[in-house]
Amino acid sequence: MYSEDNLLPLSALQHLLFCERQCALIHIEQQWDENVLTVEGKGMHKRSDQSQTESRGNIRLARGVWLKCLRLGLTGRADLVEFHRIDSPGEGVALANISGRWRPFPVEDKHGRPKKDLMDKVQLCGQALCLEEMLNVRIASGALFYGKTRHRLDVVFDDDLRSQTEKAARRLRQLLASGATPPAVYEKKCDSCSLYEQCRPKLLQQNNASVWLTRMIREAVV
Amino acid sequence: MKKLLNTLYVTTQGAYLCHEGESVLVNVEKETRLRLPIHALSGIVCFGQVACSQPLMGLCGERGVALTYLSERGQFLARVHGPVSGNVLLRREQYRRAENPGHAVQIARNMVIGKMMNCRTVLQRVLRDHGEKQDKETLEPVVRRLGRLTNEAEREENMEILRGLEGNAANEYFSVFNNMITAQKDYFSFQCRSRRPPLDAVNALLSFVYTLLVHDAVSALEGVGLDPQMGFLHALRPGRPSLALDLMEEFRSCLADRLVLSLINLRQIDAKGFQKTESGAVLMNDETRKTVLVSYQKRKQEDILHPFLEETVPFGLLLHIQALLLARHLRGDMDAYPPFIWR
Ligand code: SF4
């Protein structure tokens, strides 16, 4: 169990899975591209500090839900958690100010399109693990909503995804505790990386600043 | 590449700045004179009697927009600082290296080399573009001596001697500065550097542009998470942004000095824009100051090939890039700090 003041951001899981260097640049070095910052900033403003709930028949929509999981040491906010009304009395959770039993169902908005790798699913699963601990309930599935394709992808929190998520949380803690940023290795994914400018993977692989400077001096001063 | 954002310079006395949503408003006598989106700005510099609302200060802190107050004459007064962010581990590494003489000298040395080479290039360009016979005789030996000083600096392991070499280079360079003034020579003449206060118009111009450069260097360093006060080449002194002063050494000649020279040589400013006070200090008037600010901003938009990155970037981003390269070196990504070498 981690203490409340030693929690790591849920959002870091997807950075970690995309690239450990990117994750370190953002969460250790606090370097981020202005674009990322503005996008995240705007998102934050839209959500505001208040969580909001609305009802749509048998679905309650809770936006901007604060999340934490002391077991994995994670914290963050969910865009949206839907609560679906269910009939079976022994299942789901009770909600304040409203009768009945409800099944939590996290939904996360993504700007892009569905990705081949696991990172969006892991982040969503992280949210589910938080909700499970907070509400003391088992959550079977959630959904990712992709803005580009306007496509809603259901995600089942099976054992494999759960263990991937827990593994990522452990690795995240190790990485951030080390305080060291892994070296850059240029790969194809770098071309779509929002921290490319800060990282400059091609340049840093050469690691040749002193050789370069000597050459510059020799060329200029004979 | 990161976008070059504008700096808003407010010189109108009595102006009041506030914000409405995402816009920064400049009000003068209850009338909104200017409205700019905050995301288009990297900094706001207020000269003299300019007030800012507290919410605007908060917004600037939140968005990393540097908000600086200078006196009407351009002396630094204060800066508004948002919550400290950035990488505390990087800063700790910066302190460690600054305190380790062997490490500090490696970084300082490359900065000095950059400075010397750029001074040299400025002189070489003058020779190439319009070197009269008489100039040739004065400038060429200085170019040679700057080359020799560069070679000496390259091998120097001792910080004090390195500082001495840097001082020699500056003297060499300023000894021929007057030769680079080719117009309005009766008024704009340069004997030696005088700072506090500047005793002639050329010095007044140099000091003013250097202040702008310090401001930009401080923001660039803060932007990459370095502490602008903890320098390598410049000794530490409370209140002095030593690292910012280190970082701007490479840029004084090729950015600031050339700007001052072209303002004079192209007759964009003249003697009427200056005034000598009783104490002997020379001040520039509002209009001249505005002319300088506008051409400084323009110069920052000009593209230049970054020699190490081998990429074309606006001049105004160079400080940011150098700050980034320094941070990279401190973190161990690069074996040395590559200074900006102007070509
Ligand atoms: S550019 Fe490549 S190596 Fe660098 S942070 Fe991005 S993905 Fe990682």
Side-chain angles (χ1 to χ4, degrees):
Chain A
M1 289 296 244
Y2 292 96
S3 74
E4 289 232 323
D5 51 16
N6 187 16
L7 303 179
L8 303 175
L10 257 171
S11 58
L13 292 180
Q14 57 173 332
H15 301 139
L16 181 92
L17 292 181
F18 179 67
C19 167
E20 294 208 352
R21 179 170 166 88
Q22 191 205 52
C23 182
L25 288 174
I26 298 174
H27 298 280
I28 298 175
E29 312 227 351
Q30 315 220 336
Q31 290 270 325
W32 43 60
D33 190 271
E34 271 163 34
N35 302 327
V36 182
L37 188 63
T38 1
V39 170
E40 291 189 347
K42 278 191 192 127
M44 262 144 44
H45 282 289
K46 193 179 69 203
R47 281 193 224 165
S48 87
D49 276 348
Q50 295 292 311
S51 307
Q52 284 163 359
T53 318
E54 70 183 91
S55 267
R56 287 200 194 144
N58 282 332
I59 299 185
R60 299 269 290 174
L61 305 175
R63 294 182 199 280
V65 180
W66 287 101
L67 298 173
K68 72 172 176 206
C69 173
L70 296 180
R71 184 172 66 84
L72 296 177
L74 296 172
T75 183
R77 289 186 81 179
D79 285 342
L80 173 65
V81 179
E82 295 179 355
F83 289 90
H84 300 187
R85 189 193 281 279
I86 44 177
D87 295 330
S88 30
E91 285 175 32
V93 293
L95 295 178
N97 308 327
I98 188 160
S99 63
R101 300 298 290 181
W102 304 80
R103 179 190 300 131
F105 185 88
V107 181
E108 185 71 9
D109 283 337
K110 294 285 162 199
H111 340 272
R113 46 182 81 247
K115 302 176 193 68
K116 273 192 235 90
D117 40 49
L118 272 184
M119 48 192 222
D120 291 346
K121 287 184 185 169
V122 162
Q123 197 202 1
L124 188 73
C125 182
Q127 296 182 4
L129 295 175
C130 289
L131 285 166
E132 288 190 346
E133 181 182 293
M134 294 167 83
L135 302 172
N136 191 21
V137 66
R138 172 112 181 152
I139 301 174
S141 60
L144 293 163
F145 183 79
Y146 287 95
K148 265 255 163 62
T149 52
R150 310 206 54 76
H151 173 68
R152 188 165 162 150
L153 180 79
D154 282 330
V155 177
V156 178
F157 305 128
D158 56 21
D159 288 347
D160 182 43
L161 182 57
R162 282 167 191 267
S163 76
Q164 295 277 3
T165 308
E166 300 198 0
K167 203 170 102 198
R170 282 195 298 275
R171 176 66 197 130
L172 176 68
R173 197 158 279 276
Q174 260 174 15
L175 177 69
L176 300 197
S178 78
T181 306
V185 181
Y186 178 78
E187 287 176 49
K188 201 144 186 279
K189 67 182 176 194
C190 297
D191 297 338
S192 67
C193 173
S194 56
L195 285 186
Y196 188 90
E197 297 300 339
Q198 278 81 348
C199 172
R200 298 206 158 265
K202 283 184 185 163
L203 180 76
L204 294 178
Q205 267 170 332
Q206 301 163 17
N207 185 35
N208 57 359
S210 48
V211 174
W212 171 84
L213 182 59
T214 314
R215 200 183 72 225
M216 293 298 282
I217 300 174
R218 294 291 94 76
E219 277 173 17
V221 187
V222 251
Chain B
M1 194 26 105
K2 184 182 150 95
K3 265 216 333 261
L4 175 65
L5 301 170
N6 281 314
T7 306
L8 170 63
Y9 297 101
V10 188
T11 57
T12 312
Q13 299 303 288
Y16 177 71
L17 275 63
C18 57
H19 82 100
E20 235 176 61
E22 296 289 300
S23 303
V24 177
L25 271 51
V26 181
N27 296 317
V28 181
E29 286 158 3
K30 305 234 161 94
E31 189 193 315
T32 300
R33 294 271 179 87
L34 195 66
R35 183 185 275 274
L36 285 166
I38 183 114
H39 59 76
L41 293 176
S42 67
I44 301 178
V45 182
C46 304
F47 289 88
Q49 297 286 329
V50 175
C52 293
S53 77
Q54 198 199 20
L56 175 64
M57 292 183 194
L59 188 67
C60 288
E62 185 186 315
R63 300 299 173 83
V65 174
L67 179 55
T68 308
Y69 292 92
L70 304 181
S71 76
E72 216 184 325
R73 287 196 249 154
Q75 259 164 353
F76 177 81
L77 297 175
R79 210 147 35 82
V80 172
H81 205 292
V84 178
S85 70
N87 179 8
V88 67
L89 302 174
L90 174 65
R91 269 193 290 254
R92 185 175 64 187
E93 190 55 32
Q94 180 190 352
Y95 297 153
R96 276 190 190 144
R97 301 260 194 131
E99 267 157 22
N100 177 325
H103 283 177
V105 80
Q106 284 179 28
I107 297 172
R109 183 170 53 210
N110 289 3
M111 292 171 157
V112 168
I113 290 173
K115 173 178 180 158
M116 288 175 174
M117 289 181 71
N118 293 347
C119 284
R120 191 170 166 273
T121 306
V122 167
L123 298 179
Q124 279 180 319
R125 287 230 182 170
V126 171
L127 277 170
R128 190 191 68 195
D129 294 346
H130 38 74
E132 309 298 327
K133 184 164 179 299
Q134 173 217 348
D135 286 333
K136 272 213 172 86
E137 278 161 19
T138 13
L139 296 189
E140 273 172 354
V142 175
V143 168
R144 275 199 301 278
R145 285 198 287 271
L146 284 173
R148 232 175 290 142
L149 284 164
T150 307
N151 291 140
E152 281 178 52
E154 205 186 345
R155 292 188 297 269
E156 193 46 65
E157 300 281 342
N158 177 298
M159 185 70 94
E160 280 321 304
I161 299 178
L162 183 70
R163 288 187 178 131
L165 294 175
E166 193 255 327
N168 292 348
N171 289 339
E172 290 282 354
Y173 169 76
F174 277 118
S175 77
V176 293
F177 197 76
N178 204 38
N179 295 58
M180 295 192 276
I181 301 174
T182 54
Q184 314 188 74
K185 275 189 103 97
D186 47 335
Y187 185 73
F188 293 98
S189 77
F190 179 90
Q191 302 314 321
C192 58
R193 264 300 274 150
S194 56
R195 278 161 263 243
R196 296 177 179 178
L199 299 173
D200 58 53
V202 180
N203 272 293
L205 284 163
L206 289 175
S207 291
F208 183 63
V209 179
Y210 292 158
T211 313
L212 302 177
L213 204 51
V214 178
H215 167 263
D216 288 350
V218 168
S219 328
L221 290 166
E222 284 182 342
V224 302
L226 289 169
D227 181 344
Q229 287 206 65
M230 185 53 111
F232 299 96
L233 177 63
H234 284 81
L236 305 188
R237 193 183 296 159
R240 172 154 95 167
S242 299
L243 187 61
L245 298 176
D246 289 358
L247 187 67
M248 64 183 265
E249 288 298 353
E250 299 148 36
F251 297 97
R252 285 182 195 263
S253 59
C254 58
L255 179 61
D257 300 354
R258 282 176 68 240
L259 180 74
V260 168
L261 288 168
S262 68
L263 285 168
I264 298 170
N265 292 343
L266 301 177
R267 298 174 196 274
Q268 284 164 321
I269 51 174
D270 57 31
K272 290 197 294 292
F274 298 84
Q275 174 209 342
K276 205 168 186 97
T277 67
E278 291 70 19
S279 66
V282 171
L283 305 181
M284 59 180 107
N285 66 17
D286 281 358
E287 210 182 312
T288 305
R289 201 174 297 124
K290 258 177 220 160
T291 311
V292 178
L293 288 170
V294 168
S295 30
Y296 181 69
Q297 272 307 86
K298 270 213 198 110
R299 183 62 54 99
K300 290 207 281 184
Q301 317 282 348
E302 282 170 21
D303 280 342
I304 181 151
L305 181 76
H306 191 284
F308 185 67
L309 299 187
E310 294 179 340
E311 233 178 83
T312 302
V313 297
F315 229 114
L317 267 192
L318 290 177
L319 282 165
H320 166 79
I321 292 171
Q322 291 308 118
L324 197 63
L325 291 173
L326 178 58
R328 287 289 172 264
H329 167 56
L330 289 172
R331 286 189 358 201
D333 273 350
M334 273 194 302
D335 61 337
Y337 166 69
F340 171 71
I341 309 273
W342 185 59
R343 294 205 280 193

mmCIF file of all heavy atoms in Angstrom, chain A residues 18-23 25 183-187 189-191 193-196 199-201, ligand 1:
data_model
loop_
_atom_site.group_PDB
_atom_site.id
_atom_site.type_symbol
_atom_site.label_atom_id
_atom_site.label_comp_id
_atom_site.label_asym_id
_atom_site.label_seq_id
_atom_site.Cartn_x
_atom_site.Cartn_y
_atom_site.Cartn_z
ATOM 1 N N PHE A 18 4.377 4.182 -24.238
ATOM 2 C CA PHE A 18 4.771 4.720 -25.543
ATOM 3 C C PHE A 18 6.297 4.749 -25.631
ATOM 4 O O PHE A 18 6.880 4.269 -26.599
ATOM 5 C CB PHE A 18 4.206 6.126 -25.733
ATOM 6 C CG PHE A 18 4.601 6.750 -27.047
ATOM 7 C CD1 PHE A 18 4.132 6.242 -28.242
ATOM 8 C CD2 PHE A 18 5.461 7.842 -27.068
ATOM 9 C CE1 PHE A 18 4.508 6.812 -29.455
ATOM 10 C CE2 PHE A 18 5.842 8.420 -28.278
ATOM 11 C CZ PHE A 18 5.358 7.890 -29.470
ATOM 12 N N CYS A 19 6.934 5.307 -24.607
ATOM 13 C CA CYS A 19 8.398 5.406 -24.641
ATOM 14 C C CYS A 19 8.861 5.797 -23.252
ATOM 15 O O CYS A 19 8.404 6.790 -22.701
ATOM 16 C CB CYS A 19 8.828 6.451 -25.663
ATOM 17 S SG CYS A 19 10.566 6.922 -25.517
ATOM 18 N N GLU A 20 9.773 5.017 -22.687
ATOM 19 C CA GLU A 20 10.218 5.311 -21.318
ATOM 20 C C GLU A 20 10.950 6.646 -21.249
ATOM 21 O O GLU A 20 10.883 7.346 -20.249
ATOM 22 C CB GLU A 20 11.103 4.177 -20.792
ATOM 23 C CG GLU A 20 10.315 2.890 -20.645
ATOM 24 C CD GLU A 20 10.857 1.973 -19.560
ATOM 25 O OE1 GLU A 20 11.938 2.259 -19.012
ATOM 26 O OE2 GLU A 20 10.189 0.959 -19.282
ATOM 27 N N ARG A 21 11.641 6.967 -22.312
ATOM 28 C CA ARG A 21 12.337 8.267 -22.309
ATOM 29 C C ARG A 21 11.323 9.408 -22.279
ATOM 30 O O ARG A 21 11.464 10.370 -21.560
ATOM 31 C CB ARG A 21 13.240 8.384 -23.529
ATOM 32 C CG ARG A 21 13.983 9.711 -23.601
ATOM 33 C CD ARG A 21 15.028 9.668 -24.694
ATOM 34 N NE ARG A 21 15.545 10.982 -25.032
ATOM 35 C CZ ARG A 21 16.580 11.560 -24.419
ATOM 36 N NH1 ARG A 21 17.172 10.938 -23.422
ATOM 37 N NH2 ARG A 21 17.004 12.747 -24.797
ATOM 38 N N GLN A 22 10.264 9.259 -23.090
ATOM 39 C CA GLN A 22 9.246 10.304 -23.087
ATOM 40 C C GLN A 22 8.637 10.446 -21.697
ATOM 41 O O GLN A 22 8.434 11.552 -21.196
ATOM 42 C CB GLN A 22 8.141 9.973 -24.109
ATOM 43 C CG GLN A 22 7.224 11.163 -24.330
ATOM 44 C CD GLN A 22 5.845 10.775 -24.807
ATOM 45 O OE1 GLN A 22 5.175 9.934 -24.205
ATOM 46 N NE2 GLN A 22 5.410 11.378 -25.894
ATOM 47 N N CYS A 23 8.380 9.330 -21.079
ATOM 48 C CA CYS A 23 7.789 9.345 -19.746
ATOM 49 C C CYS A 23 8.706 10.069 -18.767
ATOM 50 O O CYS A 23 8.270 10.897 -17.970
ATOM 51 C CB CYS A 23 7.560 7.903 -19.298
ATOM 52 S SG CYS A 23 6.778 7.762 -17.699
ATOM 53 N N LEU A 25 11.034 12.291 -19.581
ATOM 54 C CA LEU A 25 11.111 13.708 -19.947
ATOM 55 C C LEU A 25 9.930 14.473 -19.359
ATOM 56 O O LEU A 25 10.071 15.588 -18.873
ATOM 57 C CB LEU A 25 11.143 13.881 -21.474
ATOM 58 C CG LEU A 25 12.436 13.474 -22.187
ATOM 59 C CD1 LEU A 25 12.274 13.552 -23.698
ATOM 60 C CD2 LEU A 25 13.600 14.332 -21.746
ATOM 61 N N PRO A 183 18.511 6.937 -22.288
ATOM 62 C CA PRO A 183 19.032 7.578 -23.499
ATOM 63 C C PRO A 183 18.072 7.441 -24.668
ATOM 64 O O PRO A 183 17.207 6.564 -24.672
ATOM 65 C CB PRO A 183 20.331 6.836 -23.776
ATOM 66 C CG PRO A 183 20.242 5.568 -22.995
ATOM 67 C CD PRO A 183 19.338 5.823 -21.839
ATOM 68 N N ALA A 184 18.241 8.307 -25.634
ATOM 69 C CA ALA A 184 17.356 8.283 -26.797
ATOM 70 C C ALA A 184 17.784 7.186 -27.762
ATOM 71 O O ALA A 184 18.959 6.998 -28.020
ATOM 72 C CB ALA A 184 17.404 9.623 -27.501
ATOM 73 N N VAL A 185 16.810 6.484 -28.256
ATOM 74 C CA VAL A 185 17.067 5.543 -29.339
ATOM 75 C C VAL A 185 16.041 5.858 -30.409
ATOM 76 O O VAL A 185 14.841 5.793 -30.149
ATOM 77 C CB VAL A 185 16.883 4.086 -28.870
ATOM 78 C CG1 VAL A 185 17.185 3.127 -30.009
ATOM 79 C CG2 VAL A 185 17.778 3.795 -27.678
ATOM 80 N N TYR A 186 16.514 6.235 -31.573
ATOM 81 C CA TYR A 186 15.564 6.627 -32.605
ATOM 82 C C TYR A 186 14.809 5.414 -33.137
ATOM 83 O O TYR A 186 15.398 4.406 -33.480
ATOM 84 C CB TYR A 186 16.277 7.339 -33.752
ATOM 85 C CG TYR A 186 15.320 7.704 -34.849
ATOM 86 C CD1 TYR A 186 14.492 8.809 -34.709
ATOM 87 C CD2 TYR A 186 15.207 6.906 -35.978
ATOM 88 C CE1 TYR A 186 13.577 9.126 -35.682
ATOM 89 C CE2 TYR A 186 14.284 7.216 -36.969
ATOM 90 C CZ TYR A 186 13.468 8.325 -36.816
ATOM 91 O OH TYR A 186 12.549 8.626 -37.777
ATOM 92 N N GLU A 187 13.475 5.545 -33.158
ATOM 93 C CA GLU A 187 12.636 4.515 -33.752
ATOM 94 C C GLU A 187 11.562 5.208 -34.568
ATOM 95 O O GLU A 187 11.414 6.413 -34.507
ATOM 96 C CB GLU A 187 11.928 3.697 -32.657
ATOM 97 C CG GLU A 187 12.820 2.749 -31.903
ATOM 98 C CD GLU A 187 12.051 2.069 -30.784
ATOM 99 O OE1 GLU A 187 10.934 1.556 -31.056
ATOM 100 O OE2 GLU A 187 12.533 2.080 -29.650
ATOM 101 N N LYS A 189 8.436 5.357 -34.118
ATOM 102 C CA LYS A 189 7.431 6.078 -33.332
ATOM 103 C C LYS A 189 7.865 7.497 -32.973
ATOM 104 O O LYS A 189 7.043 8.349 -32.672
ATOM 105 C CB LYS A 189 7.119 5.303 -32.052
ATOM 106 C CG LYS A 189 8.292 5.250 -31.086
ATOM 107 C CD LYS A 189 7.942 4.423 -29.865
ATOM 108 C CE LYS A 189 9.177 4.297 -28.971
ATOM 109 N NZ LYS A 189 9.068 3.285 -27.964
ATOM 110 N N CYS A 190 9.178 7.750 -33.000
ATOM 111 C CA CYS A 190 9.670 9.088 -32.672
ATOM 112 C C CYS A 190 9.050 10.150 -33.584
ATOM 113 O O CYS A 190 8.861 11.289 -33.171
ATOM 114 C CB CYS A 190 11.182 9.152 -32.794
ATOM 115 S SG CYS A 190 12.033 8.065 -31.635
ATOM 116 N N ASP A 191 8.771 9.757 -34.832
ATOM 117 C CA ASP A 191 8.228 10.730 -35.774
ATOM 118 C C ASP A 191 6.872 11.266 -35.324
ATOM 119 O O ASP A 191 6.469 12.353 -35.715
ATOM 120 C CB ASP A 191 8.102 10.118 -37.175
ATOM 121 C CG ASP A 191 9.476 9.740 -37.712
ATOM 122 O OD1 ASP A 191 10.476 10.318 -37.228
ATOM 123 O OD2 ASP A 191 9.549 8.867 -38.584
ATOM 124 N N CYS A 193 6.108 11.528 -32.065
ATOM 125 C CA CYS A 193 6.239 11.834 -30.636
ATOM 126 C C CYS A 193 6.124 13.340 -30.406
ATOM 127 O O CYS A 193 6.775 14.129 -31.077
ATOM 128 C CB CYS A 193 7.585 11.327 -30.134
ATOM 129 S SG CYS A 193 7.959 11.827 -28.452
ATOM 130 N N SER A 194 5.311 13.716 -29.443
ATOM 131 C CA SER A 194 5.106 15.140 -29.204
ATOM 132 C C SER A 194 6.313 15.770 -28.516
ATOM 133 O O SER A 194 6.396 16.978 -28.398
ATOM 134 C CB SER A 194 3.863 15.347 -28.354
ATOM 135 O OG SER A 194 3.984 14.614 -27.160
ATOM 136 N N LEU A 195 7.244 14.978 -28.040
ATOM 137 C CA LEU A 195 8.425 15.541 -27.384
ATOM 138 C C LEU A 195 9.669 15.446 -28.263
ATOM 139 O O LEU A 195 10.791 15.538 -27.766
ATOM 140 C CB LEU A 195 8.682 14.834 -26.059
ATOM 141 C CG LEU A 195 7.733 15.239 -24.943
ATOM 142 C CD1 LEU A 195 8.144 14.607 -23.637
ATOM 143 C CD2 LEU A 195 7.707 16.746 -24.778
ATOM 144 N N TYR A 196 9.450 15.263 -29.549
ATOM 145 C CA TYR A 196 10.580 15.070 -30.447
ATOM 146 C C TYR A 196 11.600 16.206 -30.324
ATOM 147 O O TYR A 196 12.804 15.972 -30.248
ATOM 148 C CB TYR A 196 10.088 14.965 -31.890
ATOM 149 C CG TYR A 196 11.186 14.584 -32.848
ATOM 150 C CD1 TYR A 196 11.447 13.245 -33.119
ATOM 151 C CD2 TYR A 196 11.970 15.555 -33.452
ATOM 152 C CE1 TYR A 196 12.460 12.884 -33.984
ATOM 153 C CE2 TYR A 196 12.999 15.202 -34.318
ATOM 154 C CZ TYR A 196 13.228 13.864 -34.583
ATOM 155 O OH TYR A 196 14.251 13.516 -35.423
ATOM 156 N N CYS A 199 13.586 15.967 -27.236
ATOM 157 C CA CYS A 199 14.347 14.731 -27.155
ATOM 158 C C CYS A 199 15.468 14.689 -28.178
ATOM 159 O O CYS A 199 16.606 14.390 -27.872
ATOM 160 C CB CYS A 199 13.396 13.558 -27.356
ATOM 161 S SG CYS A 199 14.255 11.991 -27.492
ATOM 162 N N ARG A 200 15.140 15.015 -29.413
ATOM 163 C CA ARG A 200 16.110 14.990 -30.510
ATOM 164 C C ARG A 200 16.894 13.687 -30.551
ATOM 165 O O ARG A 200 18.114 13.659 -30.415
ATOM 166 C CB ARG A 200 17.057 16.181 -30.388
ATOM 167 C CG ARG A 200 16.324 17.483 -30.498
ATOM 168 C CD ARG A 200 17.199 18.566 -30.990
ATOM 169 N NE ARG A 200 16.367 19.618 -31.554
ATOM 170 C CZ ARG A 200 16.095 19.701 -32.836
ATOM 171 N NH1 ARG A 200 16.605 18.844 -33.684
ATOM 172 N NH2 ARG A 200 15.322 20.655 -33.272
ATOM 173 N N PRO A 201 16.187 12.600 -30.755
ATOM 174 C CA PRO A 201 16.836 11.284 -30.665
ATOM 175 C C PRO A 201 17.960 11.081 -31.672
ATOM 176 O O PRO A 201 18.958 10.468 -31.343
ATOM 177 C CB PRO A 201 15.693 10.305 -30.919
ATOM 178 C CG PRO A 201 14.656 11.090 -31.631
ATOM 179 C CD PRO A 201 14.769 12.481 -31.115
HETATM 180 S S1 SF4 C 1 11.441 11.159 -29.741
HETATM 181 FE FE1 SF4 C 1 11.507 8.927 -29.628
HETATM 182 S S2 SF4 C 1 13.009 8.451 -28.036
HETATM 183 FE FE2 SF4 C 1 12.477 10.601 -27.832
HETATM 184 S S3 SF4 C 1 10.873 10.654 -26.313
HETATM 185 FE FE3 SF4 C 1 9.869 10.581 -28.294
HETATM 186 S S4 SF4 C 1 9.549 8.438 -28.733
HETATM 187 FE FE4 SF4 C 1 11.012 8.556 -27.049
#
